[in-house]
Amino acid sequence: MIKLVKNNFELIFWVAALTSLAFTNPTQTHFVLCPLRLMGFTWCPGCGLGHSIAFLLHGDVKALLHAHWIGIPALLILMHRIVVLFRRAIKAQQPVDENAAFSPTANRRLPI
Amino acid sequence: MDFYQNAYMNLPGVSAEELGFLKQATNGLDENQLKSFFVVYSTKRKNPNDILLLAVIGFFGFAGIHRFVMGQVGMGILFFFTGGLCCIGTIVDVINYKTLTFEYNQKMAYEAFNIVKIGGQFY
């Protein structure tokens, strides 16, 4: 179980991040995780990105563009990355044939 | 053959997981092919420590270089223009650099395997 979480850390993180953005209300102020904000900086190149994706997931395009235009490509890129990682995770679950040479389907982790 | 299996241990930053993977991956190769595979793979693979270093540069304003280096152009652009998703993406990658590099190295092993199988031998 720990191994499973460790191997798929990135996948779990992105999925958790996007689902939590889908369930937050972007119009309210809330607890801030951003390390730059906590250090006292008022601006960073990604500011408004979280709002932007949350607006996109709620379907509010006008507010999205007001928050940060990069929200649309960001969501697409993250979705693509999640699909790639998810495919990998499924492949790693398949049983490994020790005697098989490298085959196109054998691009997977060994269960050590 | 033993020599080239052991030569993997001298690859910089190699992990037990990677050694096991390479052993399985090169199972079907003969001795000459193993030599070729080692040469091709060792030039293609990335050292996890280098990836960690590039990821840490993200805290100083140039985020996402490690993603470009590993061929993930989309993630690279996203990281670069958002300061590593407000540093959070960079932190994730600093924690996760070994798995990221292994993912890339597996792809490279697959490529090296195909190059050797197609007939690229140095003799």
Side-chain angles (χ1 to χ4, degrees):
Chain A
M1 182 65 194
I2 292 170
K3 191 85 188 160
L4 199 71
V5 172
K6 205 180 150 204
N7 282 341
N8 299 304
F9 175 73
E10 203 191 341
L11 174 64
I12 293 165
F13 185 86
W14 294 135
V15 171
L18 288 186
T19 43
S20 58
L21 278 178
F23 285 108
T24 51
N25 184 356
T27 52
Q28 284 177 345
T29 53
H30 55 88
F31 174 68
V32 176
L33 214 70
C34 176
L36 282 171
R37 176 82 67 85
L38 294 177
M39 277 191 287
F41 292 95
T42 51
W43 187 87
C44 92
C47 258
L49 182 61
H51 277 74
S52 168
I53 294 177
F55 278 127
L56 179 57
L57 292 170
H58 287 97
D60 192 346
V61 177
K62 207 175 167 188
L64 176 178
L65 291 173
H66 179 69
H68 202 318
W69 62 270
I70 218 167
I72 298 171
L75 187 65
L76 291 177
I77 293 166
L78 287 179
M79 293 286 221
H80 175 254
R81 183 74 186 142
I82 286 171
V83 170
V84 168
L85 287 169
F86 190 66
R87 280 206 193 130
R88 239 180 96 71
I90 288 175
K91 269 185 191 169
Q93 290 299 309
Q94 290 167 354
V96 174
D97 181 3
E98 281 291 337
N99 295 318
F102 217 151
S103 70
T105 54
N107 189 9
R108 64 197 168 203
R109 233 178 279 264
L110 269 184
I112 299 171
Chain B
M1 174 167 178
D2 271 350
F3 174 76
Y4 278 92
Q5 290 291 357
N6 292 334
Y8 295 132
M9 284 194 278
N10 294 325
L11 292 170
V14 74
S15 65
E17 207 179 14
E18 192 180 342
L19 282 175
F21 174 78
L22 287 174
K23 199 167 185 226
Q24 185 215 346
T26 57
N27 229 343
L29 299 179
D30 64 33
E31 198 171 329
N32 285 338
Q33 285 175 326
L34 270 179
K35 283 179 192 169
S36 310
F37 178 84
F38 179 76
V39 173
V40 176
Y41 177 71
S42 58
T43 52
K44 278 177 174 288
R45 87 183 272 279
K46 295 268 185 277
N47 182 352
N49 300 331
D50 293 345
I51 298 296
L52 175 62
L53 205 66
L54 291 175
V56 167
I57 291 174
F59 290 120
F60 305 101
F62 295 97
I65 300 172
H66 59 295
R67 294 278 185 171
F68 280 118
V69 164
M70 290 187 295
Q72 299 173 16
V73 180
M75 288 298 273
I77 291 170
L78 180 61
F79 270 53
F80 189 81
F81 285 111
T82 61
L85 297 176
C86 296
C87 283
I88 294 173
T90 305
I91 294 169
V92 169
D93 283 358
V94 166
I95 296 169
N96 201 33
Y97 72 98
K98 278 190 179 165
T99 316
L100 272 176
T101 320
F102 187 48
E103 179 189 348
Y104 175 81
N105 284 342
Q106 277 179 312
K107 261 188 233 153
M108 290 305 110
Y110 177 52
E111 269 186 28
F113 182 86
N114 277 338
I115 288 172
V116 168
K117 267 289 178 194
I118 286 164
Q121 283 188 22
F122 303 108
Y123 305 95

